[in-house]
């Protein structure tokens, strides 16, 4: 791909994001499998109980 002008950077970014969401999103082609290692943080306002596997 050749980028002729800086104005195309946003369009390219949008296309990359759309492709990533198409593959990885909750309804994505990969059925929820992860492409990249990710870390999530939660900041609950109240204490929550997390059930543990049996």
């Amino acid at each position: 791909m050749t980028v002729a002008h800086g104005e195309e950077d946003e369009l390219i970014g949008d296309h990359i994001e759309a492709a990533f969401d198409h593959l990885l999103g909750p309804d994505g082609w990969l059925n929820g499998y992860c492409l990249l290692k990710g870390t999530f943080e939660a900041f609950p306002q109240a204490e929550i109980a997390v059930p543990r596997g049996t």
Side-chain angles (χ1 to χ4, degrees), residues 5-44:
H5 302 284
E7 296 88 31
E8 296 171 342
D9 290 347
E10 185 176 348
L11 178 62
I12 293 168
D14 290 345
H15 285 202
I16 291 171
E17 185 176 339
F20 188 82
D21 288 344
H22 175 72
L23 292 173
L24 186 67
D27 298 321
W29 186 69
L30 295 176
N31 292 326
Y33 286 96
C34 187
L35 287 176
L36 303 172
K37 181 178 179 181
T39 302
F40 299 93
E41 291 185 57
F43 301 96

